[in-house]
Amino acid sequence: YNSWAVDHVYNSPGNYQLQLTVRDTDGKSATTSEQVVVTSTTQPEAAPVATTQNGQGSRSPMGTNVTAIRDWVTSQPFVDIFRSAKSFLKENGNSISYDANGWPKNLNGKVANTFIVSSLPANAIPTGEYTVLYDGEGEFDFNYGEVVAESPGRKLLKFTNFNRILELRITQSNPANHIRNIRILMPGGICAGDPVKRVNSETACAAGDYLDFETHHKSVVFNPDYLRFMKNFSVLRFMDFMDTNHSKVSKWSEMVPYDAATWGVAAEGKSAGPVSVMVELANEINADPWFTLPHLASDDYVRKFADYVRDNLKPGLKAYVEYSNEVWNGVFSQATYARQRGVAMNLDSNPDKAQLKFYAKRSVQIFKIWENSFGGTNRLVRVLASQSRIPDKSNTILSFDDAYKSADALAIAPYFGGDPAPFRGLSNVGALFTRLNDPGFSRSVPDVKNDLLAQKALADEYGVDLISYE
């Protein structure tokens, strides 16, 4: 054999799951593995971090934010690139009627269009022959791409680049059997057991182990290039993926369904990023998911969200739970909402503090719903967030009605650098770090460290962890 690796995932005190991966010397055979449970008599000081496969090194102890699903971002998560497209409704208004999943059902003499990917740089996603699958009767085309082959329900398009907007236009559609379920699938596939490496053909895999995207796109959801990067992180914060900021979602029926036309800029009245996809990504790379629930979410929404995560998240993984995002931050509508609610409930005569106290109160209510769903807190990390430079805000949030007793972590977003003006004209990295480490410079590393130490002392006082989430 030319390579082997052991992945170990911490499950519970004194219990490990080991996976041994062995690869043949020809480099083409599939990975084989065995799983065993090893019981030890002592509990480790900390949960060990899973080692990645294929010689990629150890997973970082850090997490990452997960970007929004958009046609224009270079982070394209899905084998089916149409999943990131803008919704037809967003582009076409109300002159066209749509089915429950957002597909144009009756064109009413119009043309339905949407944007698939928009001006991506070279190598953001692979070029080559993309398979387009669809259901229904009608006609649609793209503004560029060479049609290599075409038959009912299938097109084969060759793309040499994606350096401009790729637009799809439905020009004809039978209302009784309308064009729908369009899938635009990347070229190639993966070898079974190695989801982080895209291969071009079955010759790269052992016999019978090739999973081409056209045949297996329902089970092979994630772009291997995306997974290869994301698998190095231990926590995935889905704030942008969920379109948390300024969210208008309140009811569970507004969760975008898995079968929606797109998961990108979703149809009016729907969220972005199905909970099922977030959980599936976390499970795929063994990372803890961090959910930021919409500020208008009803108790029913919160309960059903929690129940889904409880029933589908891998054993051994924890769910981070946060009420919205930066509810202290006045640039967001969730902050305005919290202030209005806090004032209306007479939580404090000071509107600023009433805002923070409502945030604490609603956070604890949400934590309780998750605790009831999960039957306790062992698989939860309950997060209260505050402004990094103002410990007094953190103190108000943690102390109100003893909110800290229902929380596990205080989360802040410290930034260093600030105004870019002092950095312009610097000629090398050494000069950059000299400037960043100058204690007299606002937002220098020592300056930010003082903020962190103050917040850490407060977190210690209340017995919660301190997390930096950006």
Side-chain angles (χ1 to χ4, degrees):
Y1 305 113
N2 72 339
S3 65
W4 61 273
V6 175
D7 292 346
H8 54 285
V9 181
Y10 177 70
N11 290 333
S12 60
N15 182 299
Y16 289 82
Q17 185 175 4
L18 303 183
Q19 179 172 289
L20 175 65
T21 302
V22 184
R23 206 174 279 280
D24 286 342
T25 53
D26 61 10
K28 296 182 179 180
S29 63
T31 300
T32 60
S33 62
E34 292 288 340
Q35 292 185 338
V36 295
V37 174
V38 179
T39 302
S40 66
T41 58
T42 60
Q43 180 177 348
E45 293 183 1
V49 179
T51 302
T52 59
Q53 296 183 12
N54 307 318
Q56 296 298 316
S58 297
R59 174 179 298 185
S60 168
M62 298 177 68
T64 185
N65 285 286
V66 184
T67 195
I69 309 172
R70 296 290 188 269
D71 57 300
W72 46 264
V73 300
T74 55
S75 178
Q76 292 292 320
F78 309 116
V79 164
D80 176 5
I81 63 172
F82 194 83
R83 293 296 196 182
S84 298
K86 286 183 169 68
S87 73
F88 287 99
L89 181 57
K90 289 283 186 183
E91 298 305 305
N92 298 293
N94 297 317
S95 59
I96 297 170
S97 62
Y98 301 86
D99 67 15
N101 287 324
W103 296 104
K105 188 172 184 179
N106 194 327
L107 297 178
N108 293 317
K110 307 291 184 179
V111 173
N113 72 309
T114 191
F115 301 146
I116 313 303
V117 293
S118 297
S119 305
L120 297 182
N123 303 318
I125 57 175
T127 55
E129 295 183 355
Y130 278 66
T131 303
V132 181
L133 305 178
Y134 64 95
D135 298 327
E137 299 173 354
E139 297 291 336
F140 65 92
D141 59 24
F142 300 86
N143 60 327
Y144 66 89
E146 177 189 352
V147 179
V148 176
E150 189 169 3
S151 59
R154 184 180 186 272
K155 298 174 185 278
L156 192 62
L157 269 71
K158 183 177 181 180
F159 295 103
T160 56
N161 62 69
F162 294 97
N163 61 4
R164 56 196 174 103
I165 293 174
L166 176 62
E167 182 181 3
L168 180 147
R169 301 169 296 214
I170 302 178
T171 55
Q172 298 180 40
S173 187
N174 179 359
N177 185 21
H178 60 288
I179 295 290
R180 63 197 184 278
N181 299 334
I182 298 172
R183 290 138 288 172
I184 306 176
L185 308 172
M186 290 181 173
I190 61 171
C191 301
D194 193 2
V196 302
K197 181 180 180 181
R198 188 176 64 86
V199 296
N200 292 323
S201 68
E202 61 184 348
T203 59
C205 305
D209 283 348
Y210 178 55
L211 305 177
D212 65 280
F213 294 143
E214 179 175 356
T215 305
H216 300 278
H217 63 273
K218 290 184 178 180
S219 57
V220 184
V221 174
F222 297 104
N223 173 7
D225 298 326
Y226 178 83
L227 286 184
R228 188 166 59 254
F229 176 78
M230 298 296 283
K231 70 182 176 62
N232 295 305
F233 296 101
S234 57
V235 179
L236 304 177
R237 187 170 184 261
F238 286 103
M239 184 269 290
D240 278 330
F241 194 94
M242 296 176 68
D243 279 348
T244 302
N245 293 327
H246 309 291
S247 176
K248 297 180 181 179
V249 171
S250 61
K251 298 180 292 187
W252 184 248
S253 59
E254 294 165 344
M255 170 68 70
V256 64
Y258 192 90
D259 292 330
T262 173
W263 298 333
V265 182
E268 205 65 48
K270 297 289 185 181
S271 68
V275 60
S276 55
V277 177
M278 292 184 276
V279 171
E280 188 173 355
L281 177 59
N283 287 342
E284 184 73 53
I285 63 174
N286 288 308
D288 294 330
W290 181 332
F291 304 109
T292 51
L293 300 176
H295 65 281
L296 299 176
S298 66
D299 286 355
D300 178 69
Y301 177 102
V302 174
R303 186 175 299 106
K304 288 177 177 175
F305 199 115
D307 288 349
Y308 183 90
V309 176
R310 176 199 65 204
D311 294 341
N312 293 278
L313 186 64
K314 268 186 180 180
L317 295 180
K318 289 189 174 185
Y320 286 64
V321 182
E322 181 184 3
Y323 174 45
S324 192
N325 171 67
E326 295 193 355
V327 180
W328 52 265
N329 191 336
V331 304
F332 298 127
S333 60
Q334 55 261 37
T336 302
Y337 173 80
R339 175 172 291 225
Q340 292 170 344
R341 296 291 296 132
V343 169
M345 297 171 69
N346 295 313
L347 297 182
D348 198 288
S349 58
N350 181 320
D352 290 339
K353 290 198 172 184
Q355 174 182 335
L356 300 175
K357 290 180 178 181
F358 173 79
Y359 166 70
K361 184 180 186 68
R362 183 58 180 153
S363 293
V364 170
Q365 291 171 349
I366 287 172
F367 297 157
K368 295 302 181 186
I369 293 173
W370 280 74
E371 292 166 26
N372 290 335
S373 174
F374 274 65
T377 62
N378 288 340
R379 297 189 64 198
L380 300 177
V381 180
R382 300 159 298 172
V383 179
L384 291 171
S386 184
Q387 190 170 5
S388 63
R389 305 216 83 180
I390 307 180
D392 185 58
K393 288 189 176 183
S394 305
N395 187 59
T396 298
I397 291 168
L398 290 165
S399 65
F400 181 65
D401 280 353
D402 289 340
Y404 73 95
K405 293 182 179 179
S406 298
D408 302 297
L410 171 66
I412 58 174
Y415 286 82
F416 60 83
D419 180 7
F423 299 96
R424 295 197 175 102
L426 297 181
S427 59
N428 57 68
V429 174
L432 174 71
F433 277 97
T434 297
R435 181 66 52 83
L436 280 174
N437 283 291
D438 180 357
F441 172 59
S442 177
R443 292 298 183 97
S444 66
V445 171
D447 184 36
V448 174
K449 182 178 179 180
N450 289 333
D451 293 339
L452 289 170
L453 290 173
Q455 296 280 3
K456 180 64 168 66
L458 193 63
D460 288 347
E461 178 184 341
Y462 284 101
V464 296
D465 292 332
L466 182 67
I467 298 175
S468 170
Y469 61 85
E470 288 186 4

